[in-house]
Each structure stands twice: as C-alpha cells, then as structure tokens.
Amino acid sequence: MTNATDSKLPARLEVRINREAKALVQKAADLEGRTLTDFVIAAVLAEARRAIEQHQTLKLSLEDSNAFVEAILNPPKPKVALKSAALRYKQTIST
C-alpha cells in the first residue's frame, strides 16, 4: 500500500531524442533561463493537461447546445417501442 508521502518521491522518466531535437529543446530552455530538466517537465505537464482536458471536455456548437437544452426542457413523448422495452426491462429485473 502506498501512502501520501510516496507520491512526493521523485520518479524517473527517460526519453531518447536525436541530437538536433535535444539542441532545440536546450536552446529554448536557455532562452527562458531554465534548466533542461525544468523546461522539459513544464512542457510535458502542460501538454498532458491539455490532452486530458481535450479528451474530457465536450464542446458543442451553439446549434447543438440549443438542441440539447430544448431536449432536456421539453423531452419528446416516449414511443411505443421505448415503452415496450421499459416493460420488458422491468419484467426481467423483477424475476
């Protein structure tokens, strides 16, 4: 079992990149007055947060948003097929 202090311990992440890519990243770190490690960590964390947000956020167009709200506020009456499915579900669950 891990405890809260274990999550604060440093962990190693190793990557291999070509010399040209490393030189580019090093130049960017130098320009910002940061170590290569600090620069890479900040960039990787920012990209990770962006990717997570992109995949966990649903964005609707104005038209789709209006249609969603309309469906919530004024839902359509259930069709016969939906009523039949609900009845079959209740019968299945109760047995």
Side-chain angles (χ1 to χ4, degrees), residues 17-30:
I17 60 175
N18 65 41
R19 292 178 195 275
E20 186 177 310
K22 183 181 179 203
L24 180 68
V25 175
Q26 182 66 62
K27 182 176 182 176
D30 292 344

Side-chain angles (χ1 to χ4, degrees), residues 5-79:
T5 57
D6 288 344
S7 66
K8 301 290 185 191
L9 294 175
R12 184 177 271 309
L13 174 66
E14 294 184 35
V15 297
R16 295 203 178 271
I17 60 175
N18 65 41
R19 292 178 195 275
E20 186 177 310
K22 183 181 179 203
L24 180 68
V25 175
Q26 182 66 62
K27 182 176 182 176
D30 292 344
L31 288 169
E32 292 201 353
R34 301 161 80 176
T35 66
L36 181 61
T37 299
D38 288 343
F39 183 85
V40 169
I41 289 171
V44 168
L45 290 176
E47 182 61 17
R49 287 183 188 104
R50 186 207 58 78
I52 290 168
E53 181 180 344
Q54 179 181 8
H55 289 276
Q56 292 184 341
T57 302
L58 176 65
K59 295 184 179 178
L60 300 176
S61 69
L62 183 57
E63 181 179 328
D64 291 338
S65 180
N66 288 337
F68 177 77
V69 170
E70 180 63 26
I72 296 294
L73 296 177
N74 300 305
K77 300 282 186 209
K79 306 263 190 234

